[in-house]
Amino acid sequence: MTRTRLSLYDTTLRDGQQTQGVQFSTAEKQRIAEMLDSLGVDYIEGGWPGANPTDSAFFDAGPKTRARMTAFGMTKRAGRSAANDDVLAAVMNAGTASVCLVGKAHDFHVERALGITLAENTENVAASIKHLVASGREALLDAEHFFDGYKANPAYALEVCHAALSAGARWIVLCDTNGGTLPTEIGRVTAEVIAAGIPGDRLGIHTHNDTENAVAGALAAVDAGARQIQGTLNGLGERCGNANLTTLIPTLLLKEPYASTYEIGVNLDALQNLSRVSRKLDDILNRVPMRQAAYVGASAFAHKAGLHASAILKDPSTYEHIDPALVGNARIIPMSNQAGQSNLRQRLMEAGIDVAPGDPALALILEQIKEREAAGYTYDSAQASFELLARRALGQLPQFFEVKRYKVTVERRKNKYDQMVSLSEAVVVVKVDGEKKLSVSESMDADGCDRGPVNALAKALAKDLGRYQSAIDDMRLVDFKVRITQGGTEAVTRVIIDSEDEQGRQWSTVGVSANIVDASFDALLDAINWKLLQGE
């Protein structure tokens, strides 16, 4: 059976930049484009040349990709020809083989936002698309506010689409710009558009996530006959984001009826890099990855309940909808005071530790976990610390180095600009292979900003571990969480540190103390020891 080809159009480099708190540099856009291309998307929308210096610089030195690099812009303005519109000219000058133009498909926006007649807007769309096609470009129209426009004035919304199609547009993309249209309605309207003469193999869908339905809406459009999907990695985008390609891609490849009905540019080999690509994007943006993200999140295949873990031990499909390895993710059996021996044995097996059922060590480890969690620790969200605890109890944890002492000082003073600033300094003395090593680090970063005492401590601890140093050079801390577990004068501080390395591994460690610096140091020690353990 021949499968129908679906086209994947990524808008991360443009829509993603509209995410609050996200601002790509040109170099970052180039790296993301290479990541997208390695996955196998069909189109990469690089941005809006001429709209800002970053996008213009990206197209000036854009990476060579297998995917069709696409420039984004808007249709010509009323009162001038397409050839003489300077905004459209900037988009054309990017030199991409494909160009996507946004055009209004809602009469309300045409008359209120643009202040022109409906006929003028239609002419702007048709003339702009003709200009692209005459210049040898593949033309796409993003029919902005299409679904709202169709509900208000279906005849006009369709008129805009037909004008673009007649002018030679390869793709007409129906945009749910406000993100308020539900999947059932998206499917119905898409089917009606096809019935009105816009072929499904010329039709795309662009959904926003304002009702948490962007992925479902995109799939509804595909079910109705649309053959291009637009979206972003990790669901980046304005307001609540866009359709999440990190969810859509594995759904299309692994779930029926899509897997047997459609073909996409991403293959199963590339799919195994999806979790790494998702986390790399968050790394570039300096964001903490969403643990509950479908398919790629750190908790996507976490099984906490003892009943679940017991079943997983017998057959993972009892509580997993796919094999996590298909998307480059991994199963996690969290440890907590709710754990039973089934959880514990499964988690130990995944760590490469084989303990027979009924072994007295299992009861000992469980008892230690419960005692420590009563004191404020949590192993539910600190798997690396759990593994170290278990190996220590089993006598299977090497002593890579010994911390002899550490000291942290915090100084507040005026700088040369007469501004009050803080500066922390950490001193750590470790013993490696019988040799003492003293390391000192400050909390000031390259930009002259104070990063705090824990940052200084982390840098000092990881500065010189002798023969183990190369094993931790690619390690970085990605998140630092603090919680006070008791109140009043007996307050206890819990610190959880999330770490990662260049191989895409992520791990979490926990420290507990009445002193936040001590708690942080314990979590840091665990993070480094777990990393070193992976090289054994």
Side-chain angles (χ1 to χ4, degrees), residues 450-523:
D450 175 49
R451 308 298 293 178
V454 175
N455 176 267
L457 193 56
K459 290 195 296 184
L461 180 58
K463 201 168 190 177
D464 186 3
L465 288 182
R467 64 189 173 98
Y468 301 114
Q469 188 60 39
S470 61
I472 65 168
D473 281 341
D474 67 336
M475 173 182 166
R476 63 185 294 268
L477 309 184
V478 294
D479 197 19
F480 175 84
K481 297 181 285 289
V482 178
R483 182 175 179 182
I484 305 301
T485 62
Q486 299 177 30
T489 57
E490 297 180 352
V492 173
T493 301
R494 176 197 299 151
V495 170
I496 293 179
I497 290 177
D498 294 337
S499 306
E500 69 178 15
D501 61 19
E502 289 183 355
Q503 298 178 55
R505 289 183 296 207
Q506 294 184 319
W507 64 100
S508 299
T509 51
V510 61
V512 171
S513 173
N515 183 311
I516 187 173
V517 177
D518 273 335
S520 303
F521 192 73
D522 284 347

Side-chain angles (χ1 to χ4, degrees), residues 17-194:
Q17 194 154 265
Q18 296 177 26
T19 308
Q20 188 175 14
V22 170
Q23 185 65 48
F24 296 128
S25 67
T26 300
E28 287 170 342
K29 294 187 74 162
Q30 291 170 335
R31 290 171 62 193
I32 295 168
E34 291 167 355
M35 289 159 47
L36 289 166
D37 199 44
S38 71
L39 273 180
V41 300
D42 299 287
Y43 292 83
I44 298 173
E45 190 176 86
W48 190 328
N52 60 73
T54 300
D55 284 7
S56 297
F58 172 77
F59 285 105
D60 287 343
K64 302 299 181 184
T65 58
R66 177 208 54 79
R68 293 182 72 89
M69 189 61 66
T70 307
F72 179 88
M74 66 180 185
T75 57
K76 80 171 187 70
R77 290 164 289 179
R80 64 189 71 191
S81 69
N84 291 318
D85 188 294
D86 57 332
V87 176
L88 184 55
V91 178
M92 296 286 290
N93 291 340
T96 56
S98 299
V99 176
C100 182
L101 299 180
V102 61
K104 301 289 187 186
H106 188 179
D107 56 0
F108 171 76
H109 282 268
V110 173
E111 295 173 332
R112 183 65 64 88
L114 296 182
I116 59 177
T117 67
L118 300 184
E120 285 177 311
N121 180 65
T122 303
E123 194 277 331
N124 288 345
V125 169
S128 300
I129 296 296
K130 284 181 181 177
H131 182 59
L132 294 182
V133 174
S135 301
R137 311 298 177 86
E138 180 185 46
L140 299 88
L141 176 74
D142 269 6
E144 191 182 28
H145 295 286
F146 177 83
F147 291 95
D148 292 331
Y150 188 86
K151 285 182 277 189
N153 187 342
Y156 184 70
L158 287 170
E159 177 184 313
V160 171
C161 293
H162 278 291
L165 186 67
S166 298
R170 169 63 184 89
W171 294 101
I172 311 296
V173 184
L174 308 182
C175 300
D176 183 32
T177 309
N178 286 346
T181 309
L182 296 180
T184 301
E185 192 167 19
I186 288 177
R188 175 183 62 80
V189 171
T190 302
E192 291 176 4
V193 170
I194 293 172

Side-chain angles (χ1 to χ4, degrees), residues 192-384:
E192 291 176 4
V193 170
I194 293 172
I198 307 292
D201 61 2
R202 307 283 288 276
L203 207 57
I205 182 67
H206 180 111
T207 52
H208 284 254
N209 206 34
D210 297 74
T211 64
E212 284 283 358
N213 279 288
V215 167
L219 293 174
V222 170
D223 293 341
R227 294 297 176 254
Q228 185 189 90
I229 300 175
Q230 295 195 355
T232 61
L233 281 181
N234 292 353
L236 293 181
E238 193 171 25
R239 304 185 313 275
C240 303
N242 287 47
N244 190 347
L245 288 180
T246 315
T247 302
L248 278 163
I249 288 171
T251 297
L252 293 170
L253 275 174
L254 303 175
K255 298 294 184 180
E256 295 295 349
Y258 306 104
S260 60
T261 305
Y262 302 105
E263 178 186 5
I264 61 175
V266 182
N267 59 37
L268 291 175
D269 287 339
L271 186 66
Q272 294 178 26
N273 291 318
L274 188 67
S275 296
R276 182 187 61 81
V277 168
S278 171
R279 293 165 186 173
K280 190 64 176 177
L281 177 62
D282 284 325
D283 181 29
I284 290 171
L285 298 177
N286 196 27
R287 292 167 28 134
V288 178
M290 183 183 296
R291 300 186 68 89
Q292 282 75 33
Y295 294 103
V296 299
S299 297
F301 300 95
H303 307 279
K304 180 175 179 179
L307 177 64
H308 292 195
S310 177
I312 285 287
L313 192 61
K314 298 168 185 173
D315 187 339
S317 67
T318 52
Y319 283 97
E320 290 178 351
H321 66 110
I322 66 163
D323 178 354
L326 292 173
V327 291
N329 209 340
R331 180 179 305 118
I332 293 177
I333 306 296
M335 294 310 305
S336 73
N337 58 14
Q338 297 182 37
Q341 289 201 6
S342 293
N343 292 60
L344 180 57
R345 287 190 61 240
Q346 176 66 15
R347 185 65 185 92
L348 291 173
M349 287 173 61
E350 291 176 356
I353 306 171
D354 190 11
V355 181
D359 189 310
L362 295 174
L364 175 63
I365 294 170
L366 281 176
E367 187 62 30
Q368 288 186 11
I369 289 171
K370 293 176 181 180
E371 287 178 358
R372 290 171 73 83
E373 289 209 341
Y377 286 83
T378 175
Y379 295 101
D380 178 14
S381 52
Q383 297 302 304

